[in-house]
Amino acid sequence: MKNIFPTSTIENRNPIYKVENGFIISKYADVTIPFVLELPEIFTLTQEEYASAHAVFTKAIKILPDYTVIHKQDWFTAETYTPHHESGDFLTKTHEMHFIERPYLSHKCYLFITKTTKANARKMSLTTTLCRGRLVPREMLSSDVISSFEETVGQFASILSESTYFKIKRLTEEVDICSLLDKYITLDDTTEKVVLKDIQFNPENIVVGDKKVCLHTLSDIDDLPFVVSPDCKYEKLSTDKSACMLSYAAPVGLLLPCNHIYNQYIMIGNHQENIRKLESQSKRMFSLSRLSRSNMVNHEQIEAFLNAIHEGGHLTVRAHFNVIAWADSDAEFKWIGYDVGTRIMAMDCKVRHNVVDAPVLFWAGIPGNAADFPSEDTFMTFLETATCFLTYETCQKDSLSPFGIKLTDRSTGKPLHVDISDAPMKRGIITNRNKFILGPSGSGKSFFTNHIMRQYYEQNSHIVLVDTGNSYLGLCQLINKKTAGKDGIYLTYTEENPITFNPFYTDDGIFDIEKKESIKALIYALWKKDTETSSRAEEVNLSNAVNGYLELIKRDQSIIPCFNTFYEYIGNTYREIVAKKKVKDKDFDIDNFLNVLEPYYKGGEYDYLLNSDKQLDLLNKRFVIFELDNIKDHKILFPVVTIIIMETFINKMRRLKGIRKVILIEEAWKAIAKEGMAEYIKYLFKTVRKFFGEAIIVTQEVEDIIHSEIVKQSIINNSDCKILCDQRKYMNRFEDIQALLGLTEKQKAQVLSLNQNLDSHRIYREIYIDLNGAHSAVYGVEVSPEAYLTYSTEETEKTALFNLANERYNGDLEMAIRDMVQEKKKIK
């Protein structure tokens, strides 16, 4: 056919008669039910899951009646990021400005199910609505047929929605449906108000307004590969030990970086009639085989096709797939055809740039007009084969929860709002908010924890950090300046000014069960060695001693609550109680107990630790860092101080109702996660959940988690959120980590794909997040240059930054950061 038409109006050529009661009715009296379809996020499905999603879609299509057209239309539009916050603190503003106008590819998926008639299903190019001036349907669908069709489509939608892969929503509002029609006619899915534009069907291309359009098709069986499957291996993120999978049609989906629409048509005719036609065609080819060897080849291929139908019980359908791509400028348009062709070749398909039939193919893509598709541009195949050409993934999505952290989309770098705490908890995916972060040295774990802690703080969380490497000094100083010294408290241990505590002190004098348990856990950790275990009698006596002392200080206000008076109570009052009960030494040896704890009593080497006469005002401080680098190698002070910090945190948690509390422990956990103190770690991890809190443990050495049964039992098993940084250093022995963390092959592939295909134009790292095995994904961690300098743990960068702040800006770190960023921009 010729693709030069006389000038006409869109209203005259419009193939849609009306939108009514959630139906799109064409001028040929075809009825369409429109849906919005949500697909799984990219890089989250395995080969088996793609096969399962493919089977679900195939099963759903099989229940649809004859002469039904399934039109899946995927929109991929180039957009730019718009900041959500125009105000905020220094790092929030710079973060938003860093991503302003960041280009990314947006994806929306629509599904149109059309019921047509036998006559309409045989339409040719010259009989489409674009070519005919006057339309008179030969056959009208009865109300019974429409009612039955609607019921069947409802079953189709139920099959999809009941699977774990798809979410489907029917469009019923006339405004929503009409907007789809307008947006397709204008190829504009980014604005609310659509302005109709001229459409030119030129011999060489299509022009819609200012947009130049090209159309590539998969409409001939000879253009397709011999074998297809629902998935394909994405080599850029795969290793020799793992495979990253995408859907077979992903190259013309999210991997095609331009404005485009991927149209997928599956036409269901009468199966028996199709078989009769094939058998007739086979006989005809056989009878003509003497005239040409190719006729015999065609006969054999048709026979093989018919045999496969009978042996496998396959349903025959007609199918067509095309890519409509466009650009606003001539320079960009020159590359579009090349890009589309390259992606089609990646599917092992022959590239066919369609010019002759482009107008009618474009017109058939109008929502609700799929039955107007010219039959000569389709090919017959099995339903299972046709559904392999559907796309089964979408972009990574923002969480709907108001709470979350800022990460980036793995493919395009678009900022994402991701909730890995509250929303998964409400949905029952996780039962606690605790997090376990694993990453070798240099993998960016401290950088990531800086990033996440800043955002927690900005969302009104109370944060306590236990650090051993000054990783959070920059962030703490910025918070301290912002709050005029009221927050951002940095406490470090020195001999002149050691950190001191009083575990027996409360402002209101109330000791609830949680407070009592934390005191008992602390005393037990100080009392027993790593290799020692306690008897049931010892546990009961320790509990009685603590309860008795707490009752005493309630009755006698003259007694100062502290470790000294507790020690004296054990040596005097409780000794008499034990003697009256005739408790044997093997059940509770008081002398041994007092002897072990004597270093913490007055006059002892560490008498200052547990007898502070001034309480740390942590209750109203939302960002507190305990820096223990000076005592990290001290076998006694380091674990004791760390445990007391955690006990102080638990006391803080008990008093702040309805406020998020977070304790993050860096490498300090290794000194306390020993057999004698394991119970305290277990207690901490189980307790924080009850008080709207979360405990976060950070480690870098893989041996720490592989060889420590205590870590496995007390930390990993009580952390429903596991975050892994780059693990390529451990690729050859990753099976040990996989077994310990209970990772599936899918999750292993995701972890090993970290940082395999980074964009050289951006500075960022990737992290893997697993939520109790129910959901796992890889995200990018990218921040502004200002935030990078704040978080950096590189010694040379930190030293230069703090020297500049002290020498030029009187210690003002923010001014120094601004200065360094400007200097780097000038150098670039």
Side-chain angles (χ1 to χ4, degrees):
M1 60 161 285
K2 295 182 179 180
N3 60 343
I4 302 177
F5 301 95
T7 302
S8 182
T9 63
I10 292 178
E11 289 78 7
N12 290 339
R13 297 291 175 177
N14 183 12
I16 304 304
Y17 173 59
K18 66 166 59 175
V19 175
E20 186 176 69
N21 298 326
F23 293 95
I24 303 175
I25 305 172
S26 76
K27 290 180 179 178
Y28 271 117
D30 301 314
V31 176
T32 300
I33 300 178
F35 293 93
V36 174
L37 184 64
E38 290 188 24
L39 304 174
E41 292 184 7
I42 190 171
F43 306 128
T44 60
L45 296 186
T46 62
Q47 185 175 25
E48 293 75 16
E49 288 171 325
Y50 274 115
S52 178
H54 169 264
V56 169
F57 225 105
T58 303
K59 176 183 176 182
I61 293 176
K62 283 183 177 180
I63 71 169
L64 296 174
D66 292 349
Y67 306 112
T68 298
V69 181
I70 299 94
H71 177 200
K72 183 171 175 287
Q73 189 174 81
D74 291 82
W75 283 71
F76 302 91
T77 52
E79 299 183 18
T80 56
Y81 178 72
T82 302
H84 296 143
H85 307 286
E86 296 183 357
S87 61
D89 65 8
F90 168 56
L91 293 183
T92 300
K93 289 180 180 178
T94 58
H95 182 88
E96 292 295 325
M97 293 305 297
H98 174 69
F99 289 100
I100 191 170
E101 296 186 354
R102 167 71 60 87
Y104 65 92
L105 204 63
S106 175
H107 176 218
K108 294 179 182 177
C109 180
Y110 303 103
L111 190 63
F112 307 102
I113 312 296
T114 302
K115 183 69 177 76
T116 186
T117 62
K118 182 177 180 179
N120 290 348
R122 297 175 175 176
K123 234 188 257 84
M124 304 293 286
S125 295
L126 292 176
T127 60
T128 65
T129 56
L130 187 61
C131 301
R132 296 183 62 181
R134 188 175 180 183
L135 304 177
V136 178
R138 296 180 180 178
E139 182 182 347
M140 301 288 290
L141 296 173
S142 66
S143 59
D144 292 339
V145 171
I146 295 176
S147 177
S148 175
F149 172 66
E150 185 176 19
E151 182 180 345
T152 305
V153 172
Q155 296 172 6
F156 167 90
S158 295
I159 292 174
L160 293 185
S161 60
E162 287 173 2
S163 73
T164 58
Y165 307 107
F166 308 105
K167 293 181 181 179
I168 188 167
K169 177 185 176 183
R170 181 174 175 178
L171 293 175
T172 57
E173 295 296 328
E174 182 177 340
V175 175
D176 295 335
I177 299 174
C178 290
S179 68
L180 289 182
L181 305 177
D182 294 338
K183 288 179 178 180
Y184 182 84
I185 290 296
T186 59
L187 293 181
D188 187 354
D189 192 42
T190 59
T191 57
E192 293 297 328
K193 294 183 179 180
V194 176
V195 179
L196 295 181
K197 302 173 183 177
D198 291 340
I199 301 177
Q200 302 176 43
F201 295 123
N202 300 319
E204 66 281 357
N205 60 23
I206 301 172
V207 180
V208 179
D210 297 328
K211 301 179 178 71
K212 289 191 174 182
V213 182
C214 64
L215 193 147
H216 292 72
T217 60
L218 295 175
S219 57
D220 193 321
I221 197 71
D222 294 331
D223 296 342
L224 308 181
F226 186 73
V227 177
V228 295
S229 65
D231 58 83
C232 65
K233 186 177 181 180
Y234 188 55
E235 296 292 346
K236 291 182 178 180
L237 293 179
S238 299
T239 68
D240 57 348
K241 295 180 178 294
S242 61
C244 177
M245 308 304 295
L246 293 175
S247 67
Y248 181 75
V252 291
L254 287 173
L255 300 187
L256 179 56
C258 65
N259 288 306
H260 68 286
I261 297 173
Y262 181 44
N263 285 306
Q264 304 129 81
Y265 301 89
I266 298 176
M267 294 88 165
I268 304 173
N270 184 282
H271 181 60
Q272 296 304 320
E273 183 180 338
N274 290 339
I275 292 177
R276 286 194 296 271
K277 288 182 178 180
L278 289 171
E279 289 175 342
S280 175
Q281 187 177 0
S282 177
K283 291 177 181 179
R284 187 166 62 253
M285 289 294 104
F286 181 75
S287 65
L288 298 173
S289 61
R290 293 182 180 180
L291 301 178
S292 172
R293 184 178 294 274
S294 62
N295 291 334
M296 178 56 74
V297 173
N298 290 337
H299 162 72
E300 292 173 353
Q301 290 179 346
I302 295 172
E303 285 297 311
F305 188 79
L306 288 169
N307 291 336
I309 291 175
H310 292 294
E311 291 174 3
H314 299 294
L315 178 67
T316 57
V317 297
R318 302 199 70 85
H320 172 94
F321 310 94
N322 66 56
V323 178
I324 299 174
W326 66 91
D328 296 323
S329 64
D330 292 337
E332 185 182 354
F333 184 72
K334 290 179 180 179
W335 289 98
I336 283 183
Y338 172 77
D339 285 342
V340 176
T342 301
R343 304 299 173 177
I344 292 177
M345 285 192 292
M347 299 168 61
D348 293 329
C349 297
K350 182 178 179 181
V351 180
R352 190 178 294 275
H353 181 195
N354 197 311
V355 176
V356 176
D357 291 332
V360 293
L361 297 180
F362 177 84
W363 212 244
I366 295 174
N369 196 37
D372 200 30
F373 199 91
S375 60
E376 73 267 25
D377 281 302
T378 63
F379 61 91
M380 183 174 289
T381 185
F382 300 141
L383 173 60
E384 292 82 358
T385 303
T387 49
C388 286
F389 288 85
L390 304 181
T391 53
Y392 291 105
E393 63 267 306
T394 187
C395 309
Q396 290 181 293
K397 304 172 186 175
D398 288 303
S399 299
L400 298 179
S401 169
F403 179 82
I405 57 176
K406 285 288 185 183
L407 300 172
T408 63
D409 175 272
R410 192 178 191 187
S411 303
T412 62
K414 173 195 173 185
L416 292 175
H417 174 79
V418 182
D419 184 0
I420 56 176
S421 295
D422 291 0
M425 194 85 167
K426 291 179 181 178
R427 293 168 55 193
I429 294 178
I430 59 177
T431 58
N432 61 66
R433 296 178 175 86
N434 299 335
K435 295 171 178 59
F436 175 76
I437 302 176
L438 172 66
S441 178
S443 62
K445 64 182 183 304
S446 294
F447 191 92
F448 170 69
T449 50
N450 262 280
H451 185 56
I452 189 174
M453 288 300 100
R454 176 182 72 82
Q455 295 176 85
Y456 269 52
Y457 175 80
E458 291 174 357
Q459 296 173 85
N460 299 318
S461 301
H462 280 244
I463 300 167
V464 173
L465 293 96
V466 184
D467 187 29
T468 58
N470 294 298
S471 301
Y472 306 91
L473 180 59
L475 179 59
C476 190
Q477 286 196 12
L478 287 182
I479 293 175
N480 187 271
K481 179 199 172 188
K482 175 185 174 183
T483 59
K486 296 179 181 179
D487 211 339
I489 309 302
Y490 200 85
L491 300 171
T492 186
Y493 192 102
T494 63
E495 292 185 2
E496 297 78 16
N497 188 25
I499 301 174
T500 60
F501 308 88
N502 186 349
F504 296 94
Y505 175 84
T506 61
D507 289 341
D508 51 15
I510 298 176
F511 295 87
D512 57 16
I513 294 177
E514 299 296 340
K515 178 62 175 176
K516 292 178 180 178
E517 288 298 324
S518 67
I519 293 175
K520 286 187 282 185
L522 169 63
I523 300 301
Y524 178 83
L526 298 176
W527 177 26
K528 291 293 183 179
K529 292 182 179 180
D530 298 345
T531 56
E532 288 182 303
T533 58
S534 61
S535 65
R536 178 59 181 163
E538 288 177 322
E539 292 175 358
V540 170
N541 276 279
L542 176 60
S543 180
N544 290 339
V546 171
N547 291 332
Y549 172 73
L550 296 179
E551 289 295 327
L552 176 64
I553 61 177
K554 286 181 182 179
R555 295 193 305 268
D556 190 347
Q557 301 294 325
S558 63
I559 298 177
I560 300 175
C562 62
F563 182 82
N564 285 339
T565 55
F566 171 75
Y567 186 89
E568 292 166 357
Y569 168 80
I570 295 292
N572 299 312
T573 306
Y574 194 70
R575 184 189 291 275
E576 296 175 0
I577 295 174
V578 169
K580 289 182 180 180
K581 292 183 177 181
K582 298 182 179 180
V583 177
K584 298 180 180 179
D585 287 348
K586 66 176 183 177
D587 294 327
F588 185 63
D589 189 342
I590 287 186
D591 291 329
N592 173 267
F593 180 83
L594 295 174
N595 182 56
V596 172
L597 298 183
E598 186 177 6
Y600 308 101
Y601 179 63
K602 60 184 176 184
E605 186 177 1
Y606 310 112
D607 60 351
Y608 54 86
L609 273 181
L610 306 177
N611 295 287
S612 175
D613 56 356
K614 55 181 179 180
Q615 301 308 311
L616 290 173
D617 182 19
L618 298 180
L619 189 61
N620 298 310
K621 305 299 183 184
R622 293 202 299 112
F623 197 87
V624 181
I625 295 178
F626 291 94
E627 170 53 55
L628 306 181
D629 196 55
N630 293 335
I631 57 170
K632 64 182 180 181
D633 297 322
H634 200 293
K635 294 183 179 180
I636 296 178
L637 281 180
F638 188 52
V640 172
V641 171
T642 305
I643 286 180
I644 297 173
I645 291 172
M646 290 191 292
E647 197 282 330
T648 305
F649 170 76
I650 291 175
N651 185 54
K652 176 187 180 74
M653 285 200 317
R654 292 168 50 249
R655 308 176 67 84
L656 297 173
K657 306 297 182 182
I659 299 175
R660 188 186 310 275
K661 281 82 61 174
V662 181
I663 182 169
L664 185 145
I665 307 174
E666 284 266 1
E667 299 298 324
W669 68 268
K670 285 189 288 186
I672 57 177
K674 298 179 181 179
E675 196 163 332
M677 302 178 182
E679 290 301 320
Y680 194 92
I681 297 293
K682 291 181 182 179
Y683 168 76
L684 172 68
F685 267 73
K686 291 180 180 179
T687 301
V688 291
R689 174 184 61 83
K690 303 175 184 178
F691 295 96
F692 192 27
E694 51 189 88
I696 303 176
I697 294 292
V698 183
T699 186
Q700 71 173 4
E701 296 297 335
V702 66
E703 285 79 6
D704 294 332
I705 62 172
I706 291 177
H707 301 299
S708 175
E709 190 67 21
I710 297 170
V711 176
K712 178 179 178 180
Q713 296 299 326
S714 59
I715 296 179
I716 296 179
N717 290 351
N718 288 295
S719 298
D720 283 355
C721 177
K722 299 175 181 63
I723 302 173
L724 277 67
C725 301
D726 197 328
Q727 297 294 312
R728 283 179 291 182
K729 289 184 179 179
Y730 305 122
M731 184 176 295
N732 294 328
R733 48 176 175 155
F734 190 74
E735 289 74 13
D736 294 332
I737 302 177
Q738 180 183 5
L740 181 64
L741 299 181
L743 302 179
T744 63
E745 287 300 313
K746 164 189 172 179
Q747 294 164 335
K748 172 187 174 181
Q750 289 176 317
V751 173
L752 294 183
S753 72
L754 288 172
N755 303 316
Q756 292 281 2
N757 186 37
L758 297 182
D759 186 344
S760 60
H761 298 93
R762 296 160 46 208
I763 300 176
Y764 69 108
R765 292 289 185 92
E766 291 180 336
I767 58 163
Y768 163 84
I769 298 178
D770 171 41
L771 297 175
N772 206 24
H775 176 76
S776 58
V778 175
Y779 298 94
V781 180
E782 181 178 357
V783 300
S784 65
E786 291 82 358
Y788 172 83
L789 288 175
T790 303
Y791 305 157
S792 177
T793 56
E794 181 66 33
E795 185 64 27
T796 56
E797 292 179 333
K798 287 174 60 177
T799 302
L801 176 64
F802 283 97
N803 287 342
L804 178 63
N806 294 327
E807 294 170 4
R808 188 179 299 180
Y809 298 108
N810 195 27
D812 191 328
L813 193 63
E814 180 179 327
M815 293 301 298
I817 291 173
R818 293 180 186 273
D819 193 341
M820 289 190 72
V821 169
Q822 290 300 320
E823 286 297 322
K824 289 185 176 182
K825 287 181 178 179
K826 290 179 181 179
I827 293 174
K828 280 189 177 182

